[in-house]
Amino acid sequence: RRMGEEGRVVLRGRVSVQGSPVAVELKQSCGFMRLDEAARAAGEKGVSFQPDRGGDAIESWVLVPLHFTLSQ
């Protein structure tokens, strides 16, 4: 916050049949290494996915945009 860094990071992740991340990589940087690394860490730990309604769970790749914004 002190450094005024904000932006959008896009992660590309492979999701297991159980809905947990198997691999996470940086697809698009926001230009700030600190935010890129925070996004990657969040994608590896705190994310879970569920299949579409009525769909069968399959392992697949997803794009996950994360927005870092400063509020007053």
Side-chain angles (χ1 to χ4, degrees):
R1 181 177 190 109
R2 228 174 336 151
M3 303 187 93
E5 297 175 347
E6 58 184 353
R8 179 176 178 257
V9 177
V10 179
L11 298 176
R12 181 174 182 254
R14 194 169 88 221
V15 179
S16 72
V17 173
Q18 292 80 22
S20 58
V22 175
V24 177
E25 58 189 45
L26 185 65
K27 172 84 172 157
Q28 180 181 8
S29 171
C30 68
F32 298 106
M33 185 182 291
R34 186 179 353 267
L35 297 182
D36 293 343
E37 289 302 317
R40 186 188 321 260
E44 291 173 348
K45 293 181 188 174
V47 179
S48 64
F49 295 88
Q50 295 183 4
D52 289 338
R53 279 182 239 218
D56 293 326
I58 60 169
E59 187 170 300
S60 61
W61 287 91
V62 296
L63 294 178
V64 180
L66 297 164
H67 299 270
F68 293 91
T69 57
L70 297 171
S71 59
Q72 301 296 333

